[in-house]
């Protein structure tokens, strides 16, 4: 059981380049989300999705796009990378039932924008 | 959204109980308290959650005060592997199920 898989684990970009961080889960979870983590800032929610075709913004959505065409995948797109987007990115999923709060996280993707 | 306040850091001797406090004075009636931890460079890991009753699982115990304005996560016999950042989170009642806001957490250091 792979759980939540993120790729790539490391990436270096130049300012203005675009890229997509991939996230896939094999647990048939309806809910998926993206967080970024910066030193001393905890985890901040970027975007989330409650099911295929449905997405919404979190705390820090600017500069990022998402889509959810399947239950399994939730890619995060940076259309024009900026140094301020240098961070560690975590994807998470959960079953989304009322009494379940357990988020399953991926191992993270470390992005550096020069 | 209900916010949480945690100490920045704590330490604990190996084998002793670690008690991590959290204040959530603006918590609403339907909001759950969740605890996660993050070991260096890894993704966060779920520990436990509760509404108003005390909860216990194989990892920890969660004690929520009667007025629900604060809670304590208890690791009964801390080990070196419990050194991590611990996040206390209150679920956003007004948002979609599962949306959680993480703050800065408490860095717990367990020493030999």
């Amino acid at each position: 059981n792979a759980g939540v898989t993120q790729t790539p684990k490391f990436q270096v970009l130049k300012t203005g380049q675009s890229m997509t961080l991939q996230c896939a889960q094999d647990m048939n979870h309806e809910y998926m989300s993206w967080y970024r983590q910066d030193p001393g800032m905890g985890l901040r929610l970027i975007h989330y999705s409650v099911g295929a075709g449905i997405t919404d913004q979190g705390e820090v959505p600017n500069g990022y796009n998402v889509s959810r065409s399947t239950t399994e995948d939730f890619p995060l797109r940076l259309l024009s990378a900026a140094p301020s987007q240098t961070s560690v990115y975590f994807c998470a999923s959960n079953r989304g039932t009322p009494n379940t709060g357990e988020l399953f996280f991926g191992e993270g993707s470390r992005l550096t924008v020069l | 959204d209900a916010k949480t306040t945690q100490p920045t850091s704590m330490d604990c001797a190996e084998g002793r109980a670690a008690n991590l406090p959290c204040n959530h004075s603006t918590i609403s009636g339907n909001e759950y308290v969740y605890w996660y931890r993050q070991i260096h460079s890894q993704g966060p890991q779920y520990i436990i959650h509760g509404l108003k009753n005390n909860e216990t699982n194989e990892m920890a115990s969660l004690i929520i005060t009667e007025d629900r304005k604060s809670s304590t996560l208890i690791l009964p016999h801390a080990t070196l592997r419990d050194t991590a950042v611990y996040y206390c989170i209150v679920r956003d009642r007004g948002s979609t199920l599962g949306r959680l806001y993480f703050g800065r957490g408490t860095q717990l250091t367990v020493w030999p």
Side-chain angles (χ1 to χ4, degrees), chain B residues 43-71:
Chain B
Q45 176 190 23
Y46 166 83
I47 301 173
I48 199 168
H49 76 281
L51 183 62
K52 49 186 172 182
N53 297 322
N54 297 338
E55 302 287 345
T56 296
N57 63 20
E58 65 278 4
M59 290 182 67
S61 294
L62 174 60
I63 309 298
I64 302 174
T65 58
E66 190 170 347
D67 63 8
R68 304 213 317 127
K69 293 185 176 182
S70 65
S71 61

Side-chain angles (χ1 to χ4, degrees), chain B residues 9-110:
Chain B
S9 64
M10 297 181 66
D11 59 21
C12 175
E14 189 176 22
R16 304 296 293 270
N19 298 290
L20 290 88
C22 179
N23 287 322
H24 31 78
S25 58
T26 60
I27 192 170
S28 299
N30 291 346
E31 290 179 304
Y32 285 75
V33 180
Y34 297 93
W35 284 84
Y36 285 78
R37 73 180 183 183
Q38 186 175 25
I39 297 171
H40 183 62
S41 299
Q42 298 181 17
Q45 176 190 23
Y46 166 83
I47 301 173
I48 199 168
H49 76 281
L51 183 62
K52 49 186 172 182
N53 297 322
N54 297 338
E55 302 287 345
T56 296
N57 63 20
E58 65 278 4
M59 290 182 67
S61 294
L62 174 60
I63 309 298
I64 302 174
T65 58
E66 190 170 347
D67 63 8
R68 304 213 317 127
K69 293 185 176 182
S70 65
S71 61
T72 301
L73 178 75
I74 301 173
L75 308 178
H77 304 287
T79 70
L80 298 179
R81 289 176 293 179
D82 292 322
T83 293
V85 177
Y86 288 77
Y87 295 97
C88 169
I89 302 150
V90 174
R91 188 172 76 182
D92 177 5
R93 184 181 71 168
S95 183
T96 306
L97 194 69
R99 180 175 175 179
L100 299 177
Y101 290 97
F102 287 73
R104 301 187 182 186
T106 296
Q107 171 66 58
L108 174 68
T109 301
V110 180

Side-chain angles (χ1 to χ4, degrees), chain A residues 65-82:
Chain A
N65 284 343
V66 293
S67 60
R68 184 92 178 273
S69 57
T70 67
T71 298
E72 294 77 20
D73 301 298
F74 190 44
L76 179 71
R77 298 183 184 87
L78 287 71
L79 298 180
S80 180

